[in-house]
């Protein structure tokens, strides 16, 4: 069974801090994704990656960056955290094929004070 | 523009009632369609998917969905719901041009015991 592991379930940070969210998958998936989930807005794609060292902007990339140095790991970085980035962050991975489903981690609930 | 629209944001039913959650999409090409479910406190997981063949797709836990191309719809159904079906349900699509998945805003389903 596919396992997508996010480093923290809950995280509290202060405005202006640099925040790292880590995600690891164990199924050799080519694709990895970062979303944020907010009530009434569904899932919004922040960034995704089809391969190591490769990244593409999603729908809401402002204020975020990503890193994919190894195939199994995809990191989301909040360069200077702001209160409007308080949210649930979801990582997902999939095989490279548009008909393949995505497999999700448990999510990180991030609060920026 | 590519989009997924879920008609109901919040649905409340009694146990044993029949369920139909609406999903319409907009996409200029061949689509793959998904329904995901998120039980309280758990990660998103795939309920069912359609990418070709029989437009009536059966998924886990007694759910099914029908792809009606002429109506751009992919509604989710279950003949008799249980209290354990309380969850948030997301309709999603991907196109054959890339591996991104576009999610609807979700429908919160609450089943009364």
């Amino acid at each position: 069974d596919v396992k997508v592991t996010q480093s923290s379930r809950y995280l509290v940070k202060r405005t202006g801090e640099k925040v790292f969210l880590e995600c690891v998958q164990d199924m050799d998936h080519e694709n990895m994704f970062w979303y944020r989930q907010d009530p009434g807005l569904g899932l919004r794609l922040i960034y995704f990656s089809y391969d190591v060292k490769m990244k593409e902007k999603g729908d809401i990339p402002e204020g975020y960056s990503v890193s994919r140095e190894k195939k199994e790991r995809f990191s989301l970085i909040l360069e200077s955290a702001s209160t409007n980035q308080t949210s649930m962050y979801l990582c997902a991975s999939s095989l490279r094929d548009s008909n393949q489903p995505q497999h999700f981690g448990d999510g990180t609930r991030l609060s920026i004070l | 523009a590519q989009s997924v629209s879920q008609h109901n944001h919040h649905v409340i039913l009694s146990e044993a009632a029949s369920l139909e959650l609406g999903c319409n999409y907009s996409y200029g090409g061949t689509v793959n369609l998904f329904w995901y479910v998120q039980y309280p406190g758990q990660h998103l997981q795939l309920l069912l998917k359609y990418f070709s063949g029989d437009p009536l797709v059966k998924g886990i836990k007694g759910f099914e969905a029908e792809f009606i191309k002429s109506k751009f719809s992919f509604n989710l159904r279950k003949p008799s719901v249980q209290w354990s079906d309380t969850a948030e349900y997301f309709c999603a699509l991907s196109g054959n041009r890339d591996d991104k998945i576009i999610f609807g805003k979700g429908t919160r389903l609450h089943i009364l015991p």
Side-chain angles (χ1 to χ4, degrees):
Chain A
D1 213 15
V2 177
K3 185 75 176 168
V4 178
T5 303
Q6 294 184 230
S7 51
S8 308
R9 283 301 293 270
Y10 301 93
L11 206 54
V12 180
K13 295 290 182 181
R14 296 203 173 275
T15 304
E17 279 192 71
K18 191 168 186 176
V19 181
F20 294 86
L21 302 183
E22 307 286 348
C23 175
V24 176
Q25 49 96 2
D26 65 357
M27 282 302 291
D28 204 35
H29 284 171
E30 293 88 359
N31 300 338
M32 295 190 76
F33 306 83
W34 274 107
Y35 297 89
R36 62 178 283 176
Q37 183 180 14
D38 299 288
L41 297 179
L43 276 71
R44 293 182 290 167
L45 182 64
I46 304 171
Y47 268 97
F48 59 102
S49 168
Y50 291 144
D51 204 347
V52 175
K53 296 192 186 296
M54 177 270 171
K55 61 185 178 184
E56 294 264 353
K57 291 181 180 179
D59 300 317
I60 52 164
E62 297 78 19
Y64 303 94
S65 63
V66 289
S67 171
R68 194 159 179 208
E69 295 296 318
K70 294 184 178 181
K71 191 175 185 180
E72 67 270 19
R73 187 181 295 272
F74 192 37
S75 304
L76 179 70
I77 303 152
L78 285 65
E79 297 290 344
S80 177
S82 64
T83 54
N84 64 10
Q85 292 178 308
T86 291
S87 186
M88 171 69 87
Y89 289 87
L90 301 180
C91 176
S93 71
S94 74
L95 291 169
R96 181 173 293 148
D97 196 320
S98 60
N99 67 23
Q100 292 297 318
Q102 293 182 5
H103 299 266
F104 285 83
D106 288 336
T108 296
R109 189 166 290 284
L110 176 64
S111 296
I112 307 296
L113 305 179
Chain B
Q2 307 161 22
S3 66
V4 176
S5 176
Q6 293 182 239
H7 313 304
N8 310 101
H9 298 300
H10 200 175
V11 173
I12 301 173
L13 294 172
S14 297
E15 273 193 312
S18 65
L19 170 71
E20 181 160 4
L21 300 183
C23 174
N24 286 90
Y25 68 90
S26 172
Y27 188 81
T30 305
V31 292
N32 306 296
L33 293 158
F34 308 85
W35 276 97
Y36 285 83
V37 61
Q38 187 174 32
Y39 297 104
Q42 295 188 28
H43 61 269
L44 265 98
Q45 54 187 288
L46 183 71
L47 259 185
L48 48 80
K49 70 173 184 177
Y50 168 83
F51 60 94
S52 67
D54 189 344
L56 184 62
V57 179
K58 294 196 184 297
I60 61 171
K61 305 191 181 190
F63 286 91
E64 66 178 31
E66 186 174 12
F67 171 53
I68 303 180
K69 191 174 180 180
S70 60
K71 293 184 178 180
F72 300 93
S73 70
F74 190 56
N75 292 355
L76 181 71
R77 300 195 292 248
K78 185 171 183 178
S80 177
V81 293
Q82 299 171 305
W83 178 78
S84 58
D85 293 325
T86 293
E88 189 160 17
Y89 293 80
F90 294 91
C91 182
L93 75 80
S94 67
N96 283 348
R97 290 196 285 269
D98 63 45
D99 297 348
K100 286 192 302 181
I101 291 183
I102 301 164
F103 285 86
K105 290 189 163 79
T107 297
R108 282 191 184 274
L109 176 65
H110 188 73
I111 306 299
L112 302 174

